[in-house]
């Protein structure tokens, strides 16, 4: 995609309609169910430019996939209640018609999924599925599309792409399938690529290959990338910025360096403390977060993390009653926690940092 | 793939043999267990008035006194090369495929079967066409509009279709459309005698619709369930993520997977129907295999019953074989392992 | 707590075995799954899932098996617990050869050897209450408990961090971590000596994973348990293990104590595995000295000859394709199966190469090509 001509008038309009290439504002996705309303995503905002990578981390059920599916417009109509704004290059996807969003899908924004075996249709060849993706948005003959598919397969490192193009997904290994999924997602040269747990189902050695591939392709295509994962190691490999999610909300957002070197939220501390680290001295004991993530139907009052937080008592009851807003504590580091800067620094320096 | 094909074909042949053996044993063993002797069976051919001596002689000549496996061997031989029947006064050659002679009419069974098969086949093919189109179509619409008023009304109709017996829907439709409104044939005619396709269809339309209603209802429910499942599959989500139109997503990605299991059931149903749609044929007095079987059963005419049963078994096995092969065509995971 | 416990520990005259003694030993363990093909379903080959493992497990330790999926870890676990019968080789548990024991003869041993599974949900019967699930082993083994099964089960539930009130609940009412705790409680009912845990925390979120890892460690020290831990997450493995066996395509390629394995890995495959682990630290991103393996693990139906890793190894030489490197001890307690070990002194390299020449068995078994 070539950058559209930016005239002075355009710029003004763009600021008005979303500044960044991808600008998500106060996105809420609620699912009414028999048991109550599941607030899967409850007000998150972030921006992302082309050429940058945002990592979204959080435990399962924290709303990562639901967020990405709403950007792609993949929630079923009538099932989800979606509010907020999602600007993709200035166009609000939420107020756009379904047909308009469909035209953008695959062309300007694409997605790869966790399990490449179930994400590909078992009855069609890999080539056919890439050709299909290419031809929805490009008026070309089957031959041209097939050539393009072979090129894409070659580009993502599949050996003998001219032969493998006619193979079925089940004839590929897990890593090869994920490469083919990436080839399919990138076939129309999208500006935004969302990778939802792209390596969770893969072995470490293959995971490393796929992460390298995503990084290389992003440099080449200069697209914006959102990488969703529960593995802090994976985001550290790829992400420029990281958003940590808990119970449907972002609780910390900052540059990747800050998240790992100066994390500010007790939940982020908890995640880091729970992970055994291969790059540090072996600790005698892991420091788990107590309890379990809350139900998204009955999110705890105040800070959703308060029943599991070791510092909730330091805030004079605010943690239990008032929901902390995601605020900038300086240098674009956003944190949603009532702890005062002094207490936060003290806890980090004395309790947390020495034990990581 | 070739091995798969050959294995399936061999399997089908073996299965057919087993089916003939079991059916044969049942039909000839059951009367025996019920106390009927070889002579009783033979008396069905020569008539009760004949002397005990003559009956026994016939029984021996017809082989009813032989052990069951010998009789079975002869029967199978008859199927392939024909058989000589010696019943006293004369010897009759029964050409292959020989299904034996009717107890009642003393006519060979095979020509009867050949006579009646087209009626049954017409009934089955027409009904199958109707129920596939309407059933699968209804299922898709219901699945896509899940929970809507349309879905709920269609599914209520389908539930009725599955639970109402043929003779009820059949008689009801006869009384309305045929006797009442006079739109359709009243049954009892042989559609194969019709002079042109229009009359053929005119004779069959009511039985088609009645039979199709039952099956369409079941297929609608199956298709709906299958579609609901596949439309939640990851690959359907991928298809949407590519930006395919909803139509392409449903028809190309959803339906193709949802229909595969229906293929199996369709094969079985069709195979079974080719053996005679007993209730429908009886209700509409259609001279097909089903009606033939009912008449034969009432008359205790074992060779006829055996003949229909074997034809039915043959079609079921054949349909299964075709389904297996179709599976390999549809699903590359079967074809290329 | 239960009579099961007092029975196994308090029998007069029986001297309690000491920690550090050999509990389980495995020699030349092989499991091939036959592949049948063609018209007659004749056996045309075999999945060489496990192909000649030799190791032992000492009382009280945690030995981990790591490797990429399909390398035979689960199969090994199922062989050790005799849920599978080995094709060949010997499994000796407490001095008794259990390799080919019948189901009936195995039964008393099932008390001593238990297995924890990866999928906490799939291994719990959804229609049984937690009480019934955890109490099942008592019933199966006809064990009487001092104050009744219910009390014993409730104590077990408390032990694994669940509430005794959970007794009458069903598995679907629990989260993944809690289900794994239920599985662990069931495993502990009969006070086993050896627990084979197949990916016990892989399906859990990090915060929950840490809880379960800690629980397993606490239980180990409380009841002198011995663990064979199957995992693919090398960070978790380093945390929990005393010794680690690295598997590749059905074989152990390196076996060492934790510290030397992680600090001085000798087998190139181990080096590559460690190098592929994503590190939650952005400073590592700049480093470019990482080793990236190419391609995927070859099929265990037709594994590469000699050194099975040679198709992906960056150090592979001609000899690697013709002579299988034996698993030799290069440093105390550190075995590696490679002609050209990493992090090795010249003497160790010489040992490795000499061992390959001296080992006619392996070179005969694996003729060139
Ligand atoms: N269609 C739906 N109906 C009801 N609840 C849903 C639906 N989709 C997702 N959820 C709920 O939303 C929450 C967040 O899900 P998800 O975004 O998939 O989490 P993750 O962070 O693991 O990707 C979960 O609790 C899930 O159960
Ligand atoms: N019952 C079985 N029949 C045939 N092959 C099997 C069977 N069980 C496992 N395998 C094969 O054996 C190999 C090792 O499997 P497994 O022990 O499950 O590996 P891991 O646990 O290390 O992922 C794999 O290639 C697997 O496909
Ligand atoms: S707001 Fe309170 S409960 Fe929430 S993270 Fe901060 S200290 Fe903990
Ligand atoms: S023996 Fe050769 S191929 Fe095998 S690991 Fe060592 S160097 Fe690599
Ligand atoms: Mg998810
Ligand atoms: Mg396994």
């Amino acid at each position: 995609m070539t950058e559209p001509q930016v005239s002075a008038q355009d710029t003004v309009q763009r600021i008005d309609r979303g500044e960044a290439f991808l600008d998500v504002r106060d996105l809420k996705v609620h699912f009414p169910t028999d048991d109550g309303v599941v607030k899967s995503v409850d007000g998150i905002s972030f921006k992302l430019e082309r050429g940058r990578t945002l990592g979204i981390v959080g435990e399962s059920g924290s709303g990562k996939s639901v967020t990405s599916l709403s950007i792609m417009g993949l929630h079923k109509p009538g099932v989800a209640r979606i509010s907020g704004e999602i600007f993709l290059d200035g166009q609000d996807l939420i107020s756009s018609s379904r047909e308009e969003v469909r035209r953008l899908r695959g062309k300007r924004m694409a997605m790869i999924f966790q399990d490449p075996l179930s994400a590909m249709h078992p009855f069609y060849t890999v080539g056919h599925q890439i050709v299909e993706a290419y031809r929805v948005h490009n008026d070309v003959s089957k031959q041209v599309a097939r050539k393009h598919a072979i090129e894409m397969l070659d580009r993502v490192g599949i050996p003998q792409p001219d032969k493998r193009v006619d193979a079925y997904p089940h004839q590929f290994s897990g890593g090869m399938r994920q490469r083919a999924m990436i080839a399919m997602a990138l076939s129309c040269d999208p500006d935004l690529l969302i990778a939802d747990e792209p390596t969770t189902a893969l072995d470490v050695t293959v995971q490393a290959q796929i992460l390298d591939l995503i990084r290389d392709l992003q440099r080449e295509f200069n697209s914006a990338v959102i990488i969703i994962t529960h593995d802090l190691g994976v985001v550290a490999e790829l992400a420029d910025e990281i958003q940590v999610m808990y119970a449907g909300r972002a609780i910390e957002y900052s540059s990747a360096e800050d998240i790992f070197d100066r994390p500010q939220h007790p939940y982020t501390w908890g995640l880091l403390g729970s992970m055994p680290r291969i790059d540090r001295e072996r600790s005698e004991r892991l420091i788990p977060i107590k309890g379990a993530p809350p139900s998204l139907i009955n999110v705890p009052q105040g800070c959703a993390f308060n029943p599991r937080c070791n510092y909730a008592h330091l805030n004079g009851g605010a943690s239990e009653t008032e929901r902390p807003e995601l605020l900038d504590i300086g240098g674009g580091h956003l944190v949603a926690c009532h702890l005062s800067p002094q207490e936060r620094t003290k806890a980090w320096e004395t309790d947390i940092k020495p034990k990581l | 793939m070739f091995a798969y094909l050959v294995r399936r074909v061999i399997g089908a042949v073996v299965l057919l043999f087993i089916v003939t053996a079991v059916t044969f044993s049942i039909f000839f063993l059951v009367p025996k267990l019920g106390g009927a002797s070889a002579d009783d069976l033979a008396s069905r051919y020569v008539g009760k008035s004949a002397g005990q001596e003559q009956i026994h002689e016939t029984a021996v000549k017809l082989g009813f006194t032989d052990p069951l496996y010998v009789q079975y061997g002869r029967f199978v031989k008859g199927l392939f090369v024909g058989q000589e029947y010696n019943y006293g006064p004369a010897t009759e050659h029964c050409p292959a495929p020989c299904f034996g002679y009717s107890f009642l009419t003393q006519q060979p069974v095979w020509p009867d079967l050949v006579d009646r098969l087209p009626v049954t086949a017409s009934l089955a093919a027409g009904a199958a066409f109707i129920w596939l189109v309407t059933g699968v179509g209804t299922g898709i619409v219901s699945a896509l509009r899940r929970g809507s008023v349309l879905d709920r009304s269609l599914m209520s109709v389908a539930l009725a279709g599955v639970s109402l017996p043929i003779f009820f829907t059949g008689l009801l439709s006869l009384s309305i459309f045929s006797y009442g409104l006079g739109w359709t044939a009243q049954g009892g005619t042989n559609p194969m005698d019709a002079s042109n396709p229009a009359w053929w269809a005119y004779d069959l339309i009511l039985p088609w619709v009645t039979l199709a209603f039952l099956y369409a209802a079941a297929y609608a429910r199956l298709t709906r369930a299958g579609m609901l499942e596949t439309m939640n599959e990851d690959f359907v989500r991928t298809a949407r993520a590519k930006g395919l139109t909803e139509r392409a997503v449903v028809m190309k990605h959803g339906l193709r997977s949802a229909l595969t299991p229906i293929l199996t059931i369709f094969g079985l149903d069709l195979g079974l129907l080719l053996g005679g749609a007993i209730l429908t044929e009886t209700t509409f007095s259609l001279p097909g295999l089903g009606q033939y079987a009912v008449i034969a059963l009432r008359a205790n005419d074992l060779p006829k019953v055996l003949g229909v049963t074997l034809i039915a078994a043959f079609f079921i096995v054949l349909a299964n074989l075709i389904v297996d092969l179709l599976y390999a065509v549809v699903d590359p995971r079967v074809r290329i392992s | 707590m239960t009579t099961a416990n007092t029975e196994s520990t308090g029998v007069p005259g029986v001297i309690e075995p000491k920690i550090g003694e050999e509990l389980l030993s495995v020699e030349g363990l092989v499991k091939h799954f036959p592949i049948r093909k063609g018209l007659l379903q004749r056996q045309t080959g075999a999945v060489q899932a496990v192909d000649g493992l030799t190791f032992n497990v000492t009382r009280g330790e945690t030995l981990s098996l790591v490797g990429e999926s399909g390398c035979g870890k689960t199969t090994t676990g199922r062989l050790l617990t005799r849920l599978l019968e080995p094709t060949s080789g010997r499994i000796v548990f407490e001095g008794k050869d259990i390799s080919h024991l019948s189901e009936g003869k195995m039964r008393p041993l099932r008390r001593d050897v238990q297995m924890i599974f990866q999928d906490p949900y799939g291994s719990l019967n959804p229609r049984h209450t937690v009480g019934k699930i955890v109490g099942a082993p008592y019933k199966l083994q006809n064990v009487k408990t001092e104050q009744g099964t219910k009390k014993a089960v409730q104590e077990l539930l408390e032990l694994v961090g669940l509430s005794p009130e959970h007794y009458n609940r069903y598995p679907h009412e629990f989260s993944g971590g809690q289900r794994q705790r239920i599985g662990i409680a069931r495993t502990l009912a009969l006070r086993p000596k050896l627990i084979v845990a197949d990916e016990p925390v892989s399906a859990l979120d990090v915060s929950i994973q840490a809880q379960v890892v800690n629980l397993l460690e606490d239980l180990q020290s409380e009841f002198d348990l011995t663990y064979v831990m199957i995992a693919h997450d090398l960070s978790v493995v380093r945390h929990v293990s005393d010794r680690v066996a690295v598997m590749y395509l059905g074989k152990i390629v390196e076996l060492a104590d934790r510290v030397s394995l992680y600090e001085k890995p000798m087998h190139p495959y181990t080096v590559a595995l460690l190098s592929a682990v994503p590190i939650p630290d952005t400073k590592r991103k700049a480093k470019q000295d990482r080793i990236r393996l190419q391609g995927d693990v070859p099929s265990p139906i037709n594994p590469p000859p000699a050194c099975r890793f040679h198709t992906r190894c960056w150090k592979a030489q001609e000899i690697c394709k013709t002579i299988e490197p034996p698993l030799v001890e290069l440093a105390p307690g550190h075995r590696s199966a490679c002609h050209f070990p990493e992090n090795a002194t010249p003497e160790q390299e010489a040992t490795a190469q000499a061992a390959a020449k001296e080992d006619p068995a392996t070179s005969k078994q694996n003729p060139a090509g």
Side-chain angles (χ1 to χ4, degrees):
Chain A
M1 275 286 115
T2 46
E3 187 79 10
Q5 296 276 311
V6 181
S7 67
Q9 207 187 348
D10 267 359
T11 325
V12 175
Q13 203 185 16
R14 223 183 126 175
I15 289 169
D16 185 26
R17 306 188 56 204
E19 295 155 30
F21 173 65
L22 175 70
D23 190 345
V24 176
R25 294 178 183 178
D26 197 26
L27 176 68
K28 289 185 181 164
V29 186
H30 293 180
F31 295 97
T33 67
D34 294 343
D35 300 326
V37 178
V38 182
K39 296 180 178 171
S40 297
V41 173
D42 203 25
I44 63 169
S45 308
F46 58 84
K47 292 184 173 72
L48 182 62
E49 291 295 353
R50 283 201 192 83
R52 305 285 290 173
T53 301
L54 170 71
I56 301 184
V57 283
E59 289 175 278
S60 56
S62 56
K64 307 183 296 295
S65 299
V66 168
T67 305
S68 56
L69 293 176
S70 23
I71 297 173
M72 293 288 292
L74 286 176
H75 287 300
K76 288 194 201 98
V79 175
R81 283 209 307 251
I82 305 178
S83 67
E85 292 150 318
I86 300 172
F87 292 103
L88 184 78
D89 207 8
Q91 179 180 2
D92 183 9
L93 301 179
I94 290 185
S95 56
S96 296
S97 75
R98 289 183 63 71
E99 178 60 16
E100 277 174 306
V101 177
R102 178 190 72 74
R103 286 176 195 283
L104 296 174
R105 270 205 296 272
K107 188 176 171 64
R108 302 215 62 191
M109 51 183 183
M111 187 161 177
I112 54 179
F113 302 96
Q114 172 171 345
D115 182 358
L117 180 59
S118 62
M120 297 190 104
H121 202 297
F123 295 174
Y124 300 107
T125 62
V126 169
H128 180 108
Q129 299 188 48
I130 300 176
V131 164
E132 194 181 27
Y134 190 55
R135 288 189 74 211
V136 200
H137 303 293
N138 297 276
D139 189 15
V140 294
S141 71
K142 279 197 176 143
Q143 286 76 8
V144 174
R146 184 182 154 89
K147 249 185 86 198
H148 181 72
I150 296 173
E151 270 162 33
M152 287 312 297
L153 288 176
D154 191 33
R155 184 62 205 85
V156 298
I158 288 185
Q160 294 181 297
D162 48 331
K163 297 215 174 58
R164 305 296 265 164
V165 72
D166 292 319
Y168 289 94
H170 75 274
Q171 295 172 291
F172 275 24
S173 68
M176 298 264 271
R177 268 181 227 128
Q178 198 57 292
R179 284 174 192 270
M181 275 297 290
I182 294 175
M184 185 154 83
L186 295 184
S187 61
C188 296
D189 191 6
D191 303 298
L192 170 66
L193 174 69
I194 303 178
D196 189 354
E197 310 253 8
T199 58
T200 304
L202 306 175
D203 278 312
V204 268
T205 57
V206 181
Q207 163 168 289
Q209 296 169 5
I210 298 291
L211 295 180
D212 285 351
L213 177 66
I214 294 178
R215 190 182 10 239
D216 291 350
L217 291 171
Q218 171 179 37
R219 287 204 190 115
E220 187 180 324
F221 290 81
N222 194 39
S223 40
V225 171
I226 299 179
I227 175 132
I228 293 174
T229 168
H230 63 275
D231 186 338
L232 284 165
V234 169
V235 280
E237 295 259 338
L238 288 184
D240 301 308
E241 277 104 44
I242 292 175
Q243 167 170 297
V244 184
M245 286 186 70
Y246 187 77
R249 289 177 66 87
I251 51 92
E252 184 160 7
Y253 182 99
S254 78
S255 68
E257 286 74 22
D258 277 3
I259 288 285
F260 292 109
D261 298 343
R262 287 170 292 280
Q264 298 291 326
H265 195 282
Y267 176 63
T268 315
W269 296 342
L271 283 183
L272 288 166
S274 320
M275 301 180 65
R277 296 282 292 257
I278 206 169
D279 58 328
R280 305 270 166 93
E281 278 298 300
R282 177 178 171 275
S283 57
E284 264 319 303
R285 233 177 138 67
L286 300 175
I287 317 157
I289 305 172
K290 65 189 177 197
S295 135
L296 293 178
I297 296 175
N298 276 314
V299 182
Q301 282 278 308
C303 172
F305 187 56
N306 85 67
R308 305 176 74 190
C309 181
N310 289 332
Y311 305 96
H313 61 279
L314 294 176
N315 299 300
S319 290
E320 288 80 11
T321 51
E322 234 178 277
R323 188 159 75 184
E325 289 304 318
L326 188 67
L327 299 174
D328 196 337
I329 57 159
H333 192 148
L334 313 182
V335 182
C337 171
H338 291 305
L339 281 180
S340 67
Q342 297 80 2
E343 273 160 345
R344 194 193 309 281
T345 315
K346 191 173 140 226
W348 166 243
E349 294 289 343
T350 56
D351 291 2
I352 311 296
K353 199 176 169 192
K355 288 186 201 153
L356 288 183
Chain B
M1 175 61 195
F2 182 71
Y4 171 83
L5 221 145
V6 175
R7 202 158 58 232
R8 289 297 135 131
V9 172
I10 292 179
V13 171
V14 170
L15 188 62
L16 215 54
F17 262 99
I18 296 173
V19 172
T20 52
V22 172
T23 339
F24 188 86
S25 320
I26 291 174
F27 282 117
F28 282 88
L29 215 53
V30 167
K32 276 213 182 101
L33 294 179
S37 65
D39 291 0
D40 292 342
L41 285 177
S43 73
R44 304 290 303 269
Y45 282 106
V46 286
K48 291 238 163 58
S49 54
Q52 198 58 42
E53 196 75 343
Q54 194 200 344
I55 289 175
H56 185 70
E57 213 170 289
T58 313
V60 174
K61 280 184 183 147
L62 285 176
F64 288 149
T65 50
D66 293 341
L68 195 67
Y69 66 89
V70 176
Q71 295 190 44
Y72 174 64
R74 201 159 39 226
F75 177 76
V76 172
K77 187 175 153 232
L79 287 179
F80 288 103
V81 296
Q83 200 180 337
E84 301 296 323
Y85 271 87
N86 177 349
Y87 54 99
T91 305
E92 189 133 343
H93 178 71
C94 168
C98 173
F99 279 75
Y101 287 82
S102 158
F103 283 160
L104 222 59
T105 61
Q106 258 107 83
Q107 293 304 307
V109 171
W110 175 247
D112 278 1
L113 296 177
V114 173
D115 238 26
R116 283 160 178 269
L117 185 61
V119 178
T120 299
S122 303
L123 175 63
F129 176 77
I130 297 175
W131 90 57
L132 265 187
V133 173
T134 55
V136 170
T138 309
I140 297 172
V141 170
S142 262
L144 295 181
R145 300 252 180 284
R146 179 193 191 172
S148 67
V149 179
L150 180 67
D151 172 29
R152 267 176 276 164
S153 8
L154 285 176
M155 281 305 113
S156 314
V157 176
L159 185 65
V162 184
S163 33
L164 293 178
I166 286 268
F167 53 80
F168 177 77
T169 45
L171 292 177
L172 190 70
S173 55
L174 262 182
S175 74
I176 297 175
F177 298 106
S178 185
Y179 306 131
L181 299 167
W183 289 353
T184 62
Q186 305 201 338
T189 46
N190 186 341
M192 302 325 286
D193 297 341
S195 47
N196 67 41
W199 284 111
W200 170 76
Y202 173 80
D203 281 346
L204 281 168
I205 184 73
L206 214 50
W208 277 342
V209 172
T210 309
L211 189 56
F213 183 49
L214 174 76
Y215 283 91
Y219 278 62
R221 290 158 62 90
L222 280 171
T223 307
R224 180 177 182 273
M227 278 300 278
L228 285 179
E229 206 181 304
T230 41
M231 290 309 282
N232 276 324
E233 293 276 3
D234 284 359
F235 57 75
V236 168
R237 191 182 54 190
T238 308
R240 288 211 176 93
K242 289 199 259 193
L244 294 189
T245 57
E246 195 57 24
R247 192 188 154 78
V249 171
V250 172
M251 302 309 281
K252 225 182 130 182
H253 290 256
L255 192 59
R256 178 130 182 230
S257 306
L259 283 188
T260 334
I262 292 183
L263 197 63
T264 314
I265 300 158
F266 180 65
L268 268 181
D269 283 342
L270 201 62
L272 205 62
L273 274 186
L274 285 174
I278 294 183
L279 286 175
T280 316
E281 288 175 16
T282 313
T283 309
F284 293 97
S285 317
L286 284 174
L289 288 171
Q291 191 204 37
Y292 184 71
V294 172
I295 296 171
L297 261 176
R298 287 216 190 97
N300 232 341
D301 198 347
L302 286 185
K304 281 184 176 177
V305 178
L306 181 63
V308 179
T309 313
L310 287 185
I311 287 284
F314 172 77
F315 281 118
I316 292 172
V317 172
L318 184 72
N320 249 327
L321 179 67
I322 293 172
V323 164
D324 274 350
L325 300 183
L326 275 182
Y327 246 99
V329 174
V330 173
D331 189 341
R333 288 169 300 183
V334 177
R335 201 174 344 132
I336 314 157
S337 57
Chain C
M1 177 177 298
T2 63
T3 46
N5 190 19
T6 40
E7 256 173 35
S8 60
T9 58
V11 182
V14 175
I15 301 150
E16 265 301 288
K18 288 194 191 66
I19 291 201
E21 221 172 79
E22 185 174 283
L23 179 69
L24 176 82
S25 80
V26 170
E27 221 185 284
L29 190 64
V30 172
K31 180 72 195 179
H32 288 183
F33 295 103
I35 302 167
R36 297 180 195 285
K37 269 222 180 91
L39 274 186
L40 304 169
Q41 294 288 292
R42 257 192 318 225
Q43 187 179 338
T44 56
V47 182
Q48 305 181 13
V50 168
D51 203 32
L53 303 186
T54 300
F55 62 89
N56 56 20
V57 185
T58 41
R59 215 175 276 277
E61 79 165 337
T62 301
L63 171 73
S64 288
L65 304 177
V66 295
E68 285 167 284
S69 58
C71 70
K73 304 181 298 292
T74 298
T75 307
T76 308
R78 297 174 67 87
L79 286 167
L80 297 184
T81 48
R82 275 304 318 280
L83 296 170
L84 281 175
E85 189 170 351
T87 309
S88 66
R90 262 158 54 93
I91 306 168
V92 177
F93 180 74
E94 289 197 307
K96 188 171 182 190
D97 187 341
I98 61 165
S99 327
H100 300 284
L101 281 192
S102 64
E103 185 51 39
K105 293 231 177 73
M106 250 327 272
R107 177 162 295 181
L109 275 162
R110 295 239 179 270
R111 291 176 58 168
D112 294 338
V113 185
Q114 290 279 335
M115 192 147 177
I116 302 176
F117 299 92
Q118 167 175 7
D119 174 11
Y121 199 54
S123 62
L124 305 177
N125 185 335
R127 277 185 292 275
H128 287 178
T129 62
V130 169
K132 192 161 177 191
I133 290 170
V134 177
Y138 294 123
K139 227 172 147 190
L140 278 173
Q141 295 275 352
N142 257 323
V143 174
K144 298 273 175 312
T145 44
E146 266 167 23
Q147 292 151 301
T149 310
K150 180 164 182 181
K151 186 93 180 78
V153 168
Q154 286 181 333
E155 278 169 359
L156 278 171
L157 290 179
E158 270 193 290
L159 190 65
V160 297
L162 294 170
S163 150
E165 281 93 71
H166 291 149
Y167 189 87
N168 282 320
R169 301 247 203 107
Y170 289 88
H172 73 261
E173 300 174 56
F174 294 87
S175 65
Q178 287 175 312
R179 286 178 198 146
Q180 196 54 288
R181 287 173 194 269
I182 298 170
I184 294 171
R186 172 177 58 184
T187 308
L188 286 176
L190 299 171
R191 294 284 172 275
K193 293 172 183 156
L194 176 68
I195 292 182
V196 176
D198 189 359
E199 310 261 8
V201 296
S202 305
L204 307 176
D205 273 315
V206 261
S207 71
I208 311 297
Q209 179 176 309
Q211 295 172 358
V212 175
V213 165
N214 284 349
L215 172 67
L216 287 171
E217 287 185 333
D218 293 345
L219 294 171
Q220 178 166 42
S221 50
E222 192 169 344
F223 301 108
D224 296 336
L225 295 171
T226 307
Y227 289 140
V228 171
M229 200 74 89
I230 293 169
H232 64 262
D233 182 334
L234 287 137
S235 318
V236 172
V237 165
R238 184 177 84 142
H239 187 84
V240 300
S241 329
D242 299 308
R243 288 192 305 141
V244 181
V246 181
M247 290 182 67
Y248 189 75
L249 274 175
K251 293 193 182 274
I252 292 181
V253 295
E254 183 157 14
L255 176 59
D257 63 280
R258 177 187 68 230
V259 176
S260 41
L261 188 102
Y262 280 82
E263 277 166 19
K264 280 195 168 166
M266 289 182 142
H267 198 281
Y269 178 60
T270 314
V271 175
L273 272 185
L274 288 173
S275 160
V277 176
I279 304 296
D281 189 343
T282 47
K283 287 184 228 58
R284 271 258 320 219
K285 196 152 62 165
K287 277 214 233 160
Q288 285 301 318
D289 61 346
R290 272 180 288 183
I291 295 153
R292 286 290 186 257
L293 287 186
Q294 298 301 309
D296 303 287
V297 186
S299 149
I301 298 166
N302 248 325
C307 176
R308 292 186 169 184
F309 186 53
H310 80 246
T311 52
R312 300 169 82 196
C313 181
W314 67 99
K315 296 181 85 180
Q317 306 278 320
E318 218 30 55
I319 183 181
C320 308
K321 298 172 194 165
T322 51
I323 298 176
E324 176 170 359
L327 188 66
V328 281
E329 185 152 10
L330 297 179
H334 194 143
R335 291 159 178 273
S336 158
C338 172
H339 295 306
F340 309 107
E342 293 272 289
N343 292 317
T345 61
E347 297 85 65
Q348 288 171 328
E349 278 176 22
T351 315
Q353 275 158 31
K357 290 194 189 98
E358 276 164 25
D359 195 23
T362 50
S363 40
K364 222 182 278 164
Q365 267 172 18
N366 295 278

